[in-house]
Each structure stands twice: as C-alpha cells, then as structure tokens.
Amino acid sequence: MTKRVNRKCTLVRRPQGRPRSADFAIVEAPVEAPPEGCALIAVEHLSIDPFIRAALNPGSAHPPVALGEVLPALGVGRVVESNCDGLRVGDPVCGTFMAQTCATLPPMAVEVVDDSRVPLRTYLGALGSTAGLTAYFGILEVGGVSEGDVVLMSAAAGAVGSIAGQIAKLAGARVIGIAGGPEKARFVCDELGFDACIDYKHEDVAARIAELAPAGVDVFFDNVGGPILDAALDNIANEGRVVLCGAMTQYDHMERVEGPSLYLRLAERHARMEGFTVLHFHARYEEGRRQLAEWLTNGALAVREHVDEGIENLPRALLRLFDGSHIGKLLLKVG
Ligand SMILES: NC(=O)c1ccc[n+]([C@@H]2O[C@H](COP(=O)([O-])OP(=O)(O)OC[C@H]3O[C@@H](n4cnc5c(N)ncnc54)[C@H](OP(=O)(O)O)[C@@H]3O)[C@@H](O)[C@H]2O)c1
C-alpha cells in the first residue's frame, strides 16, 4: 500500500504588509500510523479566514505562527485510521486541523458532525464558527437586532456579512449592505435580499448612508474598520450600536492599528460600540447551529461559497480576503 503523504503550508518569512507567495512554503512529509489515543484525518476542505493573516505577525489575539511552522486553519474531513475510542473510520469531523492535508489528533480536539443533510464543508461556512455562528451571535446577541432596526453591514458579500445581513432581515430589520463593486452589490440585493447596497469603491459611502438611513443607523455590524467605520459612526442613530466583528483594513499592519477618528459620535448620540469573539459563545454553538440548519434547510438562508483547490494555492486564497476576489464563504479543497 502506498504511504499517505501530508502536504502542509508553512510560514518561511513574516509578511511585511500584504503577504506574498514567497512568505510561504509547501512541505511534504510521510504520514505515520496514529499513535495510541489519536486518529488520522484526511482533510477535505480548509476554511480561509482572516485570523490566519492576523496570526502571521505578532499583535493580534491569535498566537503568532513561528517561522517554519504550519499555518493555523479550521478544517473538515474524515477519519481514515483510528487508534482511539470515540472516533471511527469514516466519521465526518471538523476542528482546527491546521493548513495541511492530513491531521493526527486525539478525540478531544475533533468534533464529529452530522453530514447527512448538508455537505460536510457547510460546517466551515453557514454552520461554521467563523462564518454562520459569528453572524448569528454577532447580530442577535451582541447587536440585539430586532424588528424595525436599520442595520448597516460592511463586507456584506463576504462569509460573515452575507449571513449576518440575512439574519438581521429574518429578525425584521431593514438591512443596508456595503460591498466592493457592482457585481457584489447586485448579489447582496438580488440573491441575499438586502434592502440596498452601497458600492464603496464607486460611491460616497457617508453620503449614501445618510440618504438610505435618514434617521440614522441603529446597528452597524463592522467587518472592515477604516474609513467605512468612520462613515458609519457619522451616521449612527441615537442609542445606536456598533458591533465590532473584525477589521479587514488593519490586519496587514497590526503593529500600528488605526482607530476611528469619529468615535465621539458615540458620546454625542448615546451610542455604544461592542466587540466580540465568537469563542465567547462556545457553550451555545449547538443552539446556533440548530437554528442556522433550520434556516438553511427551509430556504430562508441563501449561501454562496467560493472554493479554490489545492494546498499549494493557500497563499493565493488568503490574498482573496484582501483583494475581495471572492463572494461568500472562501474555502480551499485539499482532499
Ligand atoms: N469576531 C469574531 O469572532 C470573528 C469571527 C470570524 C470572522 N471575523 C471577522 O469577520 C470579518 C469578515 O471575515 P470573513 O471570513 O467573512 O471574510 P469575507 O468577508 O469573506 O472577506 C473579507 C472581505 O472584506 C472586504 N475587504 C477587504 N479589504 C477591505 C478594505 N480595505 N476595505 C473594505 N473592505 C475590505 C472584501 O470585500 P469587498 O470586496 O466588499 O471589499 C473581502 O471580501 C473579518 O474582519 C474577520 O476578522 C470575526
């Protein structure tokens, strides 16, 4: 029998600004049989998430990847060899499998999931912690969105934004997206059902928010930070809320993060800004997944995935998060 080979993506150089292919290497190693207490997982898909970029340099909440080490990544796959109780050959699983094609892990680091009604990769997208669950808890718990709210969503065509905006619509809000380019703006309105979408690459964002939300924005769900955050703060409603989910504009220079200049609008309008990490809601993932799965299967939630292929294309996929050349949840098929 031919021996399995593990292919992994490692960091060879800390990126200066936007990462480049030369910052990474693809390394191959033969796969050994799992030691006692572990199982061998053939990884099928990896989730391409902004935290991977943040972890390449010191300065984020994510421990920085050491030079020569494998990049962090969430994945889904199947158990192909087991030397432990709790994981059986064929089990569909998800977890932090890292940026590699094979993972050897103990059961406590692996979650067995049910892929009988949805494709396994859905556990990285609509049912995944960094997409669907982030959107779910961010909108309903942190944002407290309810009937009649005006919700503004940055990176509206992306993994989190596309789902978060739809959940806000399901909660009875009027939802305005912000996305880069006419194709994404059309996707946001026509396929996701948002009420409007601002194309920030071609329109004056602050002026358009004022036009679309003349009484102000009740909840701004922010994925990008930078000038868009300032434009939203300028239009925040009295007693409005800003949900700080992420800041795509900052991850290339975490050593000098640029904060908003219009933060005094929070004081002037008795508004508040609250950040969160989805891990905070870990104990409630099952509840979130149950609701998201119901919306998915009854057609209330539209999902789009962009799937790149091959572990060697991980650096290119990571860059898509910053050049915006994907729509929906970004995945990498590696098995
Ligand atoms: N708090 C949490 O626990 C948690 C968990 C997961 C993710 N997040 C955060 O959620 C955000 C979205 O993550 P995701 O995985 O869903 O990514 P995504 O939205 O699928 O991709 C990122 C998008 O950001 C936009 N973008 C990139 N650079 C930009 C810039 N300079 N100005 C404006 N927009 C820019 C691009 O869309 P356009 O083409 O429209 O520019 C791009 O498609 C990130 O900030 C991430 O860190 C937070």
Side-chain angles (χ1 to χ4, degrees), residues 43 45-49 51-52 71-76 94-99 123-124 128-131 278 329 331-332:
V43 183
H45 287 88
L46 292 172
S47 177
I48 304 301
D49 286 303
F51 82 80
I52 301 176
L71 271 54
L74 305 182
V76 291
C94 73
T96 305
F97 295 162
M98 311 297 280
Y123 286 89
L124 299 176
S129 60
T130 55
V278 68
K329 175 61 199 165
L331 298 168
L332 187 68

PDB file of all heavy atoms in Angstrom, residues 43 45-49 51-52 71-76 94-99 123-124 128-131 278 329 331-332:
ATOM      1  N   VAL A  43      -7.993  15.490   5.498  1.00  0.00           N
ATOM      2  CA  VAL A  43      -8.687  16.778   5.452  1.00  0.00           C
ATOM      3  C   VAL A  43      -9.277  16.975   4.052  1.00  0.00           C
ATOM      4  O   VAL A  43      -8.602  16.720   3.048  1.00  0.00           O
ATOM      5  CB  VAL A  43      -7.721  17.927   5.816  1.00  0.00           C
ATOM      6  CG1 VAL A  43      -8.451  19.264   5.833  1.00  0.00           C
ATOM      7  CG2 VAL A  43      -7.050  17.666   7.164  1.00  0.00           C
ATOM      8  N   HIS A  45     -11.637  19.958   3.248  1.00  0.00           N
ATOM      9  CA  HIS A  45     -11.687  21.401   2.979  1.00  0.00           C
ATOM     10  C   HIS A  45     -11.068  22.169   4.143  1.00  0.00           C
ATOM     11  O   HIS A  45     -11.200  21.769   5.303  1.00  0.00           O
ATOM     12  CB  HIS A  45     -13.131  21.900   2.815  1.00  0.00           C
ATOM     13  CG  HIS A  45     -13.762  21.474   1.525  1.00  0.00           C
ATOM     14  ND1 HIS A  45     -14.432  20.281   1.387  1.00  0.00           N
ATOM     15  CD2 HIS A  45     -13.829  22.097   0.308  1.00  0.00           C
ATOM     16  CE1 HIS A  45     -14.883  20.184   0.138  1.00  0.00           C
ATOM     17  NE2 HIS A  45     -14.542  21.273  -0.536  1.00  0.00           N
ATOM     18  N   LEU A  46     -10.451  23.291   3.827  1.00  0.00           N
ATOM     19  CA  LEU A  46      -9.960  24.216   4.852  1.00  0.00           C
ATOM     20  C   LEU A  46     -10.753  25.505   4.735  1.00  0.00           C
ATOM     21  O   LEU A  46     -11.145  25.918   3.627  1.00  0.00           O
ATOM     22  CB  LEU A  46      -8.467  24.510   4.652  1.00  0.00           C
ATOM     23  CG  LEU A  46      -7.500  23.349   4.900  1.00  0.00           C
ATOM     24  CD1 LEU A  46      -6.091  23.731   4.473  1.00  0.00           C
ATOM     25  CD2 LEU A  46      -7.520  22.925   6.366  1.00  0.00           C
ATOM     26  N   SER A  47     -10.950  26.147   5.874  1.00  0.00           N
ATOM     27  CA  SER A  47     -11.630  27.444   5.888  1.00  0.00           C
ATOM     28  C   SER A  47     -10.563  28.530   5.770  1.00  0.00           C
ATOM     29  O   SER A  47      -9.605  28.544   6.555  1.00  0.00           O
ATOM     30  CB  SER A  47     -12.372  27.571   7.225  1.00  0.00           C
ATOM     31  OG  SER A  47     -12.982  28.831   7.328  1.00  0.00           O
ATOM     32  N   ILE A  48     -10.726  29.415   4.798  1.00  0.00           N
ATOM     33  CA  ILE A  48      -9.754  30.508   4.640  1.00  0.00           C
ATOM     34  C   ILE A  48     -10.318  31.710   5.397  1.00  0.00           C
ATOM     35  O   ILE A  48     -11.299  32.332   4.969  1.00  0.00           O
ATOM     36  CB  ILE A  48      -9.514  30.820   3.150  1.00  0.00           C
ATOM     37  CG1 ILE A  48      -9.061  29.545   2.411  1.00  0.00           C
ATOM     38  CG2 ILE A  48      -8.476  31.923   2.999  1.00  0.00           C
ATOM     39  CD1 ILE A  48      -7.797  28.896   2.939  1.00  0.00           C
ATOM     40  N   ASP A  49      -9.695  32.003   6.533  1.00  0.00           N
ATOM     41  CA  ASP A  49     -10.217  33.010   7.459  1.00  0.00           C
ATOM     42  C   ASP A  49      -9.214  34.129   7.686  1.00  0.00           C
ATOM     43  O   ASP A  49      -8.004  33.880   7.743  1.00  0.00           O
ATOM     44  CB  ASP A  49     -10.491  32.350   8.825  1.00  0.00           C
ATOM     45  CG  ASP A  49     -11.722  31.468   8.801  1.00  0.00           C
ATOM     46  OD1 ASP A  49     -12.794  31.974   8.454  1.00  0.00           O
ATOM     47  OD2 ASP A  49     -11.605  30.276   9.122  1.00  0.00           O
ATOM     48  N   PHE A  51      -8.302  35.427  10.377  1.00  0.00           N
ATOM     49  CA  PHE A  51      -7.418  35.227  11.538  1.00  0.00           C
ATOM     50  C   PHE A  51      -6.098  34.565  11.120  1.00  0.00           C
ATOM     51  O   PHE A  51      -5.093  34.695  11.810  1.00  0.00           O
ATOM     52  CB  PHE A  51      -8.121  34.460  12.666  1.00  0.00           C
ATOM     53  CG  PHE A  51      -8.151  32.960  12.516  1.00  0.00           C
ATOM     54  CD1 PHE A  51      -7.039  32.199  12.847  1.00  0.00           C
ATOM     55  CD2 PHE A  51      -9.283  32.319  12.058  1.00  0.00           C
ATOM     56  CE1 PHE A  51      -7.070  30.815  12.718  1.00  0.00           C
ATOM     57  CE2 PHE A  51      -9.328  30.945  11.922  1.00  0.00           C
ATOM     58  CZ  PHE A  51      -8.212  30.182  12.244  1.00  0.00           C
ATOM     59  N   ILE A  52      -6.107  33.862   9.985  1.00  0.00           N
ATOM     60  CA  ILE A  52      -4.853  33.236   9.518  1.00  0.00           C
ATOM     61  C   ILE A  52      -3.840  34.343   9.215  1.00  0.00           C
ATOM     62  O   ILE A  52      -2.675  34.274   9.618  1.00  0.00           O
ATOM     63  CB  ILE A  52      -5.088  32.364   8.257  1.00  0.00           C
ATOM     64  CG1 ILE A  52      -6.114  31.266   8.550  1.00  0.00           C
ATOM     65  CG2 ILE A  52      -3.762  31.780   7.772  1.00  0.00           C
ATOM     66  CD1 ILE A  52      -6.488  30.408   7.335  1.00  0.00           C
ATOM     67  N   LEU A  71       0.611  26.890   9.158  1.00  0.00           N
ATOM     68  CA  LEU A  71      -0.381  27.949   9.406  1.00  0.00           C
ATOM     69  C   LEU A  71      -1.604  27.364  10.122  1.00  0.00           C
ATOM     70  O   LEU A  71      -1.963  26.210   9.867  1.00  0.00           O
ATOM     71  CB  LEU A  71      -0.831  28.567   8.079  1.00  0.00           C
ATOM     72  CG  LEU A  71      -0.026  29.749   7.538  1.00  0.00           C
ATOM     73  CD1 LEU A  71       1.446  29.417   7.423  1.00  0.00           C
ATOM     74  CD2 LEU A  71      -0.586  30.197   6.198  1.00  0.00           C
ATOM     75  N   PRO A  72      -2.257  28.149  10.967  1.00  0.00           N
ATOM     76  CA  PRO A  72      -3.484  27.643  11.592  1.00  0.00           C
ATOM     77  C   PRO A  72      -4.619  27.646  10.564  1.00  0.00           C
ATOM     78  O   PRO A  72      -4.633  28.495   9.663  1.00  0.00           O
ATOM     79  CB  PRO A  72      -3.765  28.674  12.693  1.00  0.00           C
ATOM     80  CG  PRO A  72      -3.145  29.938  12.182  1.00  0.00           C
ATOM     81  CD  PRO A  72      -1.958  29.533  11.344  1.00  0.00           C
ATOM     82  N   ALA A  73      -5.536  26.723  10.699  1.00  0.00           N
ATOM     83  CA  ALA A  73      -6.733  26.732   9.839  1.00  0.00           C
ATOM     84  C   ALA A  73      -7.750  25.753  10.391  1.00  0.00           C
ATOM     85  O   ALA A  73      -7.383  24.697  10.921  1.00  0.00           O
ATOM     86  CB  ALA A  73      -6.390  26.344   8.401  1.00  0.00           C
ATOM     87  N   LEU A  74      -9.010  26.116  10.260  1.00  0.00           N
ATOM     88  CA  LEU A  74     -10.088  25.187  10.592  1.00  0.00           C
ATOM     89  C   LEU A  74     -10.322  24.298   9.374  1.00  0.00           C
ATOM     90  O   LEU A  74     -10.134  24.739   8.236  1.00  0.00           O
ATOM     91  CB  LEU A  74     -11.378  25.946  10.920  1.00  0.00           C
ATOM     92  CG  LEU A  74     -11.292  27.015  12.018  1.00  0.00           C
ATOM     93  CD1 LEU A  74     -12.660  27.643  12.248  1.00  0.00           C
ATOM     94  CD2 LEU A  74     -10.774  26.411  13.311  1.00  0.00           C
ATOM     95  N   GLY A  75     -10.738  23.069   9.629  1.00  0.00           N
ATOM     96  CA  GLY A  75     -10.956  22.163   8.507  1.00  0.00           C
ATOM     97  C   GLY A  75     -12.073  21.175   8.772  1.00  0.00           C
ATOM     98  O   GLY A  75     -12.558  21.030   9.905  1.00  0.00           O
ATOM     99  N   VAL A  76     -12.466  20.493   7.693  1.00  0.00           N
ATOM    100  CA  VAL A  76     -13.369  19.343   7.817  1.00  0.00           C
ATOM    101  C   VAL A  76     -12.737  18.181   7.064  1.00  0.00           C
ATOM    102  O   VAL A  76     -11.943  18.380   6.142  1.00  0.00           O
ATOM    103  CB  VAL A  76     -14.784  19.617   7.220  1.00  0.00           C
ATOM    104  CG1 VAL A  76     -15.558  20.625   8.062  1.00  0.00           C
ATOM    105  CG2 VAL A  76     -14.708  20.050   5.763  1.00  0.00           C
ATOM    106  N   CYS A  94     -14.873  17.889  12.151  1.00  0.00           N
ATOM    107  CA  CYS A  94     -14.335  19.232  11.944  1.00  0.00           C
ATOM    108  C   CYS A  94     -13.482  19.615  13.148  1.00  0.00           C
ATOM    109  O   CYS A  94     -13.581  19.017  14.222  1.00  0.00           O
ATOM    110  CB  CYS A  94     -15.436  20.263  11.669  1.00  0.00           C
ATOM    111  SG  CYS A  94     -16.430  20.701  13.096  1.00  0.00           S
ATOM    112  N   GLY A  95     -12.612  20.608  12.944  1.00  0.00           N
ATOM    113  CA  GLY A  95     -11.726  21.039  14.032  1.00  0.00           C
ATOM    114  C   GLY A  95     -10.628  21.938  13.506  1.00  0.00           C
ATOM    115  O   GLY A  95     -10.623  22.307  12.321  1.00  0.00           O
ATOM    116  N   THR A  96      -9.701  22.278  14.393  1.00  0.00           N
ATOM    117  CA  THR A  96      -8.553  23.079  13.954  1.00  0.00           C
ATOM    118  C   THR A  96      -7.502  22.113  13.420  1.00  0.00           C
ATOM    119  O   THR A  96      -6.611  21.677  14.142  1.00  0.00           O
ATOM    120  CB  THR A  96      -8.006  23.917  15.137  1.00  0.00           C
ATOM    121  OG1 THR A  96      -9.090  24.691  15.667  1.00  0.00           O
ATOM    122  CG2 THR A  96      -6.912  24.858  14.674  1.00  0.00           C
ATOM    123  N   PHE A  97      -7.631  21.773  12.144  1.00  0.00           N
ATOM    124  CA  PHE A  97      -6.781  20.739  11.556  1.00  0.00           C
ATOM    125  C   PHE A  97      -5.463  21.314  11.034  1.00  0.00           C
ATOM    126  O   PHE A  97      -4.605  20.557  10.604  1.00  0.00           O
ATOM    127  CB  PHE A  97      -7.544  20.011  10.430  1.00  0.00           C
ATOM    128  CG  PHE A  97      -8.745  19.229  10.921  1.00  0.00           C
ATOM    129  CD1 PHE A  97      -9.742  18.832  10.036  1.00  0.00           C
ATOM    130  CD2 PHE A  97      -8.882  18.897  12.262  1.00  0.00           C
ATOM    131  CE1 PHE A  97     -10.845  18.102  10.485  1.00  0.00           C
ATOM    132  CE2 PHE A  97      -9.976  18.178  12.725  1.00  0.00           C
ATOM    133  CZ  PHE A  97     -10.963  17.780  11.831  1.00  0.00           C
ATOM    134  N   MET A  98      -5.333  22.639  11.028  1.00  0.00           N
ATOM    135  CA  MET A  98      -4.160  23.355  10.519  1.00  0.00           C
ATOM    136  C   MET A  98      -4.120  23.251   8.985  1.00  0.00           C
ATOM    137  O   MET A  98      -4.878  22.511   8.386  1.00  0.00           O
ATOM    138  CB  MET A  98      -2.846  22.860  11.134  1.00  0.00           C
ATOM    139  CG  MET A  98      -2.855  22.752  12.648  1.00  0.00           C
ATOM    140  SD  MET A  98      -3.106  24.350  13.456  1.00  0.00           S
ATOM    141  CE  MET A  98      -1.469  25.047  13.370  1.00  0.00           C
ATOM    142  N   ALA A  99      -3.205  24.048   8.366  1.00  0.00           N
ATOM    143  CA  ALA A  99      -3.166  24.130   6.906  1.00  0.00           C
ATOM    144  C   ALA A  99      -2.398  22.945   6.339  1.00  0.00           C
ATOM    145  O   ALA A  99      -1.235  23.060   5.922  1.00  0.00           O
ATOM    146  CB  ALA A  99      -2.517  25.441   6.485  1.00  0.00           C
ATOM    147  N   TYR A 123     -19.957  22.901   7.534  1.00  0.00           N
ATOM    148  CA  TYR A 123     -19.505  23.135   8.915  1.00  0.00           C
ATOM    149  C   TYR A 123     -18.342  24.134   8.982  1.00  0.00           C
ATOM    150  O   TYR A 123     -17.886  24.490  10.060  1.00  0.00           O
ATOM    151  CB  TYR A 123     -19.141  21.804   9.601  1.00  0.00           C
ATOM    152  CG  TYR A 123     -20.384  21.023   9.953  1.00  0.00           C
ATOM    153  CD1 TYR A 123     -20.949  20.138   9.040  1.00  0.00           C
ATOM    154  CD2 TYR A 123     -21.029  21.227  11.162  1.00  0.00           C
ATOM    155  CE1 TYR A 123     -22.121  19.458   9.331  1.00  0.00           C
ATOM    156  CE2 TYR A 123     -22.198  20.544  11.477  1.00  0.00           C
ATOM    157  CZ  TYR A 123     -22.746  19.666  10.560  1.00  0.00           C
ATOM    158  OH  TYR A 123     -23.912  19.004  10.861  1.00  0.00           O
ATOM    159  N   LEU A 124     -17.890  24.591   7.818  1.00  0.00           N
ATOM    160  CA  LEU A 124     -16.923  25.698   7.795  1.00  0.00           C
ATOM    161  C   LEU A 124     -17.610  26.991   7.348  1.00  0.00           C
ATOM    162  O   LEU A 124     -17.075  28.071   7.545  1.00  0.00           O
ATOM    163  CB  LEU A 124     -15.772  25.380   6.821  1.00  0.00           C
ATOM    164  CG  LEU A 124     -14.934  24.144   7.155  1.00  0.00           C
ATOM    165  CD1 LEU A 124     -13.906  23.894   6.055  1.00  0.00           C
ATOM    166  CD2 LEU A 124     -14.256  24.288   8.508  1.00  0.00           C
ATOM    167  N   GLY A 128     -20.475  26.993  10.363  1.00  0.00           N
ATOM    168  CA  GLY A 128     -19.128  27.072  10.934  1.00  0.00           C
ATOM    169  C   GLY A 128     -18.995  28.175  11.970  1.00  0.00           C
ATOM    170  O   GLY A 128     -19.751  29.149  11.971  1.00  0.00           O
ATOM    171  N   SER A 129     -18.004  28.017  12.846  1.00  0.00           N
ATOM    172  CA  SER A 129     -17.841  29.025  13.897  1.00  0.00           C
ATOM    173  C   SER A 129     -17.458  30.378  13.322  1.00  0.00           C
ATOM    174  O   SER A 129     -17.961  31.416  13.764  1.00  0.00           O
ATOM    175  CB  SER A 129     -16.794  28.558  14.917  1.00  0.00           C
ATOM    176  OG  SER A 129     -15.559  28.349  14.294  1.00  0.00           O
ATOM    177  N   THR A 130     -16.570  30.393  12.317  1.00  0.00           N
ATOM    178  CA  THR A 130     -16.069  31.685  11.833  1.00  0.00           C
ATOM    179  C   THR A 130     -16.962  32.320  10.761  1.00  0.00           C
ATOM    180  O   THR A 130     -16.622  33.388  10.255  1.00  0.00           O
ATOM    181  CB  THR A 130     -14.638  31.536  11.275  1.00  0.00           C
ATOM    182  OG1 THR A 130     -14.646  30.514  10.262  1.00  0.00           O
ATOM    183  CG2 THR A 130     -13.665  31.175  12.378  1.00  0.00           C
ATOM    184  N   ALA A 131     -18.073  31.687  10.408  1.00  0.00           N
ATOM    185  CA  ALA A 131     -18.988  32.322   9.437  1.00  0.00           C
ATOM    186  C   ALA A 131     -20.401  32.385  10.042  1.00  0.00           C
ATOM    187  O   ALA A 131     -20.780  33.385  10.647  1.00  0.00           O
ATOM    188  CB  ALA A 131     -18.958  31.585   8.107  1.00  0.00           C
ATOM    189  N   VAL A 278     -16.323  35.073  18.589  1.00  0.00           N
ATOM    190  CA  VAL A 278     -17.350  34.018  18.582  1.00  0.00           C
ATOM    191  C   VAL A 278     -17.047  32.965  19.654  1.00  0.00           C
ATOM    192  O   VAL A 278     -17.967  32.332  20.197  1.00  0.00           O
ATOM    193  CB  VAL A 278     -17.479  33.403  17.162  1.00  0.00           C
ATOM    194  CG1 VAL A 278     -16.233  32.606  16.775  1.00  0.00           C
ATOM    195  CG2 VAL A 278     -18.715  32.515  17.070  1.00  0.00           C
ATOM    196  N   LYS A 329     -18.538  32.488   1.310  1.00  0.00           N
ATOM    197  CA  LYS A 329     -17.549  31.817   2.163  1.00  0.00           C
ATOM    198  C   LYS A 329     -16.387  31.280   1.321  1.00  0.00           C
ATOM    199  O   LYS A 329     -16.594  30.569   0.347  1.00  0.00           O
ATOM    200  CB  LYS A 329     -18.229  30.667   2.919  1.00  0.00           C
ATOM    201  CG  LYS A 329     -17.282  29.838   3.746  1.00  0.00           C
ATOM    202  CD  LYS A 329     -16.592  30.648   4.833  1.00  0.00           C
ATOM    203  CE  LYS A 329     -15.341  29.963   5.356  1.00  0.00           C
ATOM    204  NZ  LYS A 329     -14.489  30.860   6.131  1.00  0.00           N
ATOM    205  N   LEU A 331     -13.330  28.892   0.715  1.00  0.00           N
ATOM    206  CA  LEU A 331     -12.861  27.568   1.143  1.00  0.00           C
ATOM    207  C   LEU A 331     -11.735  27.090   0.240  1.00  0.00           C
ATOM    208  O   LEU A 331     -11.623  27.533  -0.910  1.00  0.00           O
ATOM    209  CB  LEU A 331     -14.016  26.554   1.060  1.00  0.00           C
ATOM    210  CG  LEU A 331     -15.242  26.808   1.939  1.00  0.00           C
ATOM    211  CD1 LEU A 331     -16.394  25.894   1.531  1.00  0.00           C
ATOM    212  CD2 LEU A 331     -14.908  26.595   3.408  1.00  0.00           C
ATOM    213  N   LEU A 332     -10.936  26.176   0.745  1.00  0.00           N
ATOM    214  CA  LEU A 332      -9.892  25.548  -0.065  1.00  0.00           C
ATOM    215  C   LEU A 332     -10.089  24.041   0.003  1.00  0.00           C
ATOM    216  O   LEU A 332     -10.066  23.459   1.097  1.00  0.00           O
ATOM    217  CB  LEU A 332      -8.508  25.941   0.487  1.00  0.00           C
ATOM    218  CG  LEU A 332      -7.314  25.504  -0.340  1.00  0.00           C
ATOM    219  CD1 LEU A 332      -7.282  26.263  -1.680  1.00  0.00           C
ATOM    220  CD2 LEU A 332      -6.004  25.750   0.419  1.00  0.00           C
TER     221      LEU A 332
END
